Structure formats: C-alpha cells, structure tokens
Amino acid sequence: MQKNTQDLRQASRRPVAVRRRGASPEKTAQTRQTIVDAALAEFLEKGFAEATIENVSRRAGVAKGLIYRYFEAKEALFSAVVQQEIVRAHIDVDESKRGPGESVEAFLRRTLLASIRNIDKKSRADIARVVIAEGARFPALVEIYRRDVIDPLTEKIKRLAISARKSGEPVNDRLVKNPHLLLAPIWAGIVINKFLDKANPVDIGEMFEVQLDMIFSGERK
C-alpha cells in the first residue's frame, strides 16, 4: 500500500505533456495565400533572378522558415503563382463547360476571349514577361509555364477544334494540327507591349478576336 502511494506521488510530480493543436485548415490556407500573393508582387517587381525568399517573407509578414514549410524553393513559389494567376483563369476553357447547343466559336468567345481582353490589366501578361525574359537563364521557369499553362491549354484547343470540325463549324483545319495558332496573337502582343514598343501598345484582346474571325472563317486549307 505504501509503495502504491509513493508511485502516485512520483507520477503527480512528472511534467504533464501539453498537446498543442496545429493550425486549422482555414488558417493554413490563408497563410499560403498570403505567401503566394507576396511572391507574385516580388516576381513582378524584381523578376525571378532578383527575387528572394527573404523579401517574400517581409512582404507576407511571416518568418522565412515558415515559407519553406509550404514551398521547398523559389521555383515552387513561382509555380504556385502561375497556378493561381493563370491556370485558374483558364479552368472554364474545357469542353465539358460548353452549354447545350453552344458552338465552339461562341464558347471560345465567351470564355477565352473574355479572359484575354483583360490580360494586360491582370498579372498574367507580366508573368509571361518574366518567363520570356529569364527563361534562358532559368529553364525551370519555361518548364513550369509549358507544363502548367501551354500544354494543357493547347490540348484543350485541339479537342475543341476537333469537336468544331465534327459538328460542321467552318473552322480552319490547321487549328487541329497547330493549336498554337489561336494563342499566337497573345504572345505577339506580350512581346510588343512588354519589350518592343511599350510606347505604342497593341490591343491583345482585339488581335485575338481577329484571329478567331480568321480561324472560323470557313477556309479549309
């Protein structure tokens, strides 16, 4: 009996481990969002080479070490920015989102054209500028942009072009083999506006609409 009493006294003196609750999913998502927004501002202001995790941490108001809990490197941060600012903007450009009886041409005007009209007002053109300007030095940027933006988008355009041909829409056959044709005005406009002639910018949305007109003009060459 005495031994049991001593054991109880000793147990009562032992420090009690305090179980700490981790951050809620909502708090985790909010922190990640704050970091990505800060990274976007950093990349657009300084470019990829001059951007630093330290500066991102200051912009976000979080510790540098916390950023590495979410993103293993600066490239991962850039990928997150691309996903947030560009990939999500093109989610609606999926054939499954076409309305009943909606033509492919009308669908592209409703979704992709609407997005491209505002490309210069958003960050998407500036992110592409970073890729163009620094891709040769940092091939990872090109790979991220190709994998996350270009390849999925051109594949969607190709599938839409095939559907348009099957349904009898007057779409140029070349779009099936060369889906990049539809995106060419975007890249031309970005290069002109960001590098070649900043003083006389072109209207990228208008250029894209003209391209749509020509592709869906009924010429079968």
Side-chain angles (χ1 to χ4, degrees), residues 132 185-198 204:
I132 295 170
I186 304 172
W187 286 102
I190 290 172
V191 171
I192 292 169
N193 294 352
K194 302 298 180 182
F195 298 100
L196 298 182
D197 197 354
K198 295 181 180 180
I204 298 177

Side-chain angles (χ1 to χ4, degrees), residues 113-126:
L113 176 58
S115 174
I116 292 169
R117 283 192 186 282
N118 295 315
I119 192 170
D120 276 329
K121 299 175 184 178
K122 304 289 184 179
S123 59
R124 297 191 291 274
D126 287 315

Side-chain angles (χ1 to χ4, degrees), residues 198-213:
K198 295 181 180 180
N200 300 289
V202 298
D203 187 324
I204 298 177
E206 183 177 342
M207 290 174 63
F208 181 79
E209 187 168 19
V210 170
Q211 187 79 330
L212 267 176
D213 291 339

Side-chain angles (χ1 to χ4, degrees), residues 140-156:
L141 302 187
V142 177
E143 175 59 22
I144 289 168
Y145 202 88
R146 181 196 61 76
R147 180 196 66 210
D148 294 346
V149 180
I150 298 299
D151 286 356
L153 189 53
T154 53
E155 183 59 31
K156 289 177 181 179

